Amino acid sequence: MPGFELFGDLERKEVNDVLDNGVLMRYGFDGMRKGHWKAKELESELASTFQSKYVQLVSSGTAAVSVALASAGVGAGDEVIMPTFTFVASFEAIMMLGAIPVLVDIDDTLTLDPNAVEKAVTPKTKAVMVVQMCGSMANMDALRSICIKHNLIFVEDACQAIGGSYKGRPLGSIADLGCFSFDFVKTITCGEGGAVVTNNKEYYINADHYSDHGHDHVGNDRGAETHPFLGYNFRISELNAAVGLAQVRRLPEFISIQKKKYTIIREALSQIPEVTFRSVPEGGEESYAFLNFFLPDLVSARKVSKALKDDGIDGCFHYYDNNWHYVRKWDHLTNLKSLYPISKEVKEGLLYLQTKSFEQSDHFIGRNISCLIKLSWSEEEVTNRANKMAQIIKTIN
Ligand SMILES: Cc1ncc(COP(=O)(O)O)c(C=O)c1O
């Protein structure tokens, strides 16, 4: 999925605009900029790409999740429902605000199971955060209904699903707030960067101020700006935004390349009766950043994962045994290994992790292999890869 694979002259031109005027910061220095406002331009391109009224760029996807939650008023002692399968950034971003991550099972979409979400709602629940993992999505209608029923904020982490859609809407633009990452390995990259996307003006203004020390961004004298509330620094630099500006314009091209390569591998694996694919909710279209498939059981998934690695087929992840993306290996969270003291509320709020098991998630993640789709493969390379993968899987099953 990485946009960096097709990095070139377009990105260089945008970066050179910034280097030529020397203004690396997104705010202020109006006179020196020679008309270049890369972060602002990128925000407006993203608003049109994601069909949303407001976009606030920030320094990373992790920052985007924290800023989104903070902008909607999530904080100390609030429970945020999130999936067992995601990147560690999800619980980090929640805990940074003093809130409590409540982990719940995924289903065969590899994203939040709406039934598990409904069961996890308590009087302390403030938000549901769906994570559109590996290029696809949850049943968004079902999750939205739960949020409406219980008056919860609905947050969508679409960091891994840039370019996918649900019932005609871009992923990341469906919930009350959407979050994107443009780190080095995402479908479009800024090097490092992220965005909060929303149609809610109040959330947007909060995100704008909060991500820049509380600055109200009124007038053109930073020192004279007021600070309506406390904030932090989650700003993106002009250099990073410049790279993203070139990349976002290429998104349709990237998605169409991904789709072609995904389809070649999927067709080869479809011939194998033991292989099944993740469910995509009705009306959903994947971003094709990954191809996710299931094998009959954990033993065979482990064997296939090893054989693919041994045969030089890179970028195929068995997340069950991965340290970063699945609850099974998050012992630093379960045991609260923190550099600094953690509040009593969060400590107590996370006690459930000592005893809770997630059999349903194990059932899906244990059998799942998730293969990254690269933009730079030639047609011959991807065909050879697909045939090799099919051969390996047939031999083991
Ligand atoms: C689902 C998900 N959320 C959040 C993040 C965090 O993004 P970043 O690396 O830009 O902080 C990632 C990064 O991999 C991710 O995969």
Side-chain angles (χ1 to χ4, degrees), residues 115-377:
N115 293 322
V117 171
E118 179 82 61
K119 282 188 199 137
V121 174
T122 74
K124 283 186 172 179
T125 310
K126 185 89 173 255
V128 172
M129 182 163 73
V130 61
V131 183
Q132 316 289 33
M133 276 302 273
C134 305
S136 190
M137 74 220 76
N139 183 336
M140 295 298 282
D141 285 347
L143 292 176
R144 174 166 294 288
S145 300
I146 295 169
C147 290
I148 291 171
K149 180 174 158 196
H150 298 283
N151 195 22
L152 304 174
I153 297 151
F154 190 19
V155 180
E156 185 182 1
D157 176 339
C159 291
Q160 292 201 9
I162 301 168
S165 64
Y166 177 76
K167 301 194 173 170
R169 300 246 357 129
L171 296 181
S173 74
I174 299 159
D176 300 322
L177 294 128
C179 307
F180 290 96
S181 162
F182 307 121
D183 73 20
F184 196 51
V185 292
K186 294 301 183 288
T187 302
I188 49 175
T189 185
C190 291
E192 296 285 359
V196 179
V197 169
T198 184
N199 286 315
N200 180 311
K201 192 168 182 187
E202 189 189 339
Y203 293 165
Y204 162 67
I205 290 173
N206 289 346
D208 168 89
H209 297 7
Y210 181 73
S211 58
D212 185 23
H213 303 292
H215 271 272
D216 67 7
H217 299 141
V218 174
N220 56 6
D221 176 357
R222 263 178 85 74
E225 289 179 18
T226 66
H227 30 67
F229 47 77
L230 297 168
Y232 289 95
N233 177 3
F234 295 114
R235 290 189 307 259
I236 193 164
S237 85
E238 283 288 275
L239 283 171
N240 293 96
V243 175
L245 195 51
Q247 291 256 302
V248 73
R249 292 174 180 149
R250 305 174 74 187
L251 183 60
E253 173 199 346
F254 291 177
I255 299 297
S256 105
I257 297 171
Q258 277 182 175
K259 184 172 182 177
K260 271 192 207 130
K261 311 218 154 136
Y262 168 108
T263 307
I264 292 171
I265 304 183
R266 180 159 179 148
E267 276 170 9
L269 302 196
S270 300
Q271 314 302 320
I272 308 169
E274 288 82 7
V275 169
T276 53
F277 296 92
R278 89 188 290 177
S279 288
V280 176
E282 205 188 321
E285 170 142 23
E286 294 186 66
S287 77
Y288 307 105
F290 292 85
L291 174 67
N292 282 276
F293 59 92
F294 298 111
L295 291 157
D297 52 45
L298 174 62
V299 175
S300 110
R302 277 192 166 133
K303 280 189 191 156
V304 167
S305 167
K306 181 174 181 319
L308 291 171
K309 263 191 209 119
D310 291 348
D311 226 348
I313 311 276
D314 62 346
C316 291
F317 308 108
H318 185 216
Y319 283 117
Y320 190 78
D321 290 328
N322 171 297
N323 284 344
W324 294 95
H325 292 83
Y326 186 50
V327 61
R328 212 171 73 85
K329 297 287 188 92
W330 295 343
D331 51 300
H332 60 322
L333 173 66
T334 307
N335 302 324
L336 277 178
K337 288 193 182 161
S338 171
L339 288 178
Y340 48 83
I342 293 211
S343 77
K344 194 168 150 277
E345 273 168 318
V346 174
K347 268 189 194 158
E348 285 172 6
L350 284 173
L351 275 177
Y352 71 95
L353 282 176
Q354 310 275 346
T355 48
K356 192 162 168 64
S357 55
F358 295 98
E359 283 93 2
Q360 183 177 308
S361 300
D362 286 347
H363 172 72
F364 293 113
I365 296 297
R367 298 182 300 118
N368 173 251
I369 305 275
S370 184
C371 295
L372 189 70
I373 304 295
K374 284 198 188 158
L375 299 170
S376 54
W377 291 329

Side-chain angles (χ1 to χ4, degrees), residues 61-67 69 88-99 129:
T62 312
V65 177
S66 264
V67 170
L69 291 168
V88 290
S90 302
F91 64 75
E92 292 167 353
I94 294 168
M95 289 173 73
M96 216 182 72
L97 302 171
M129 182 163 73

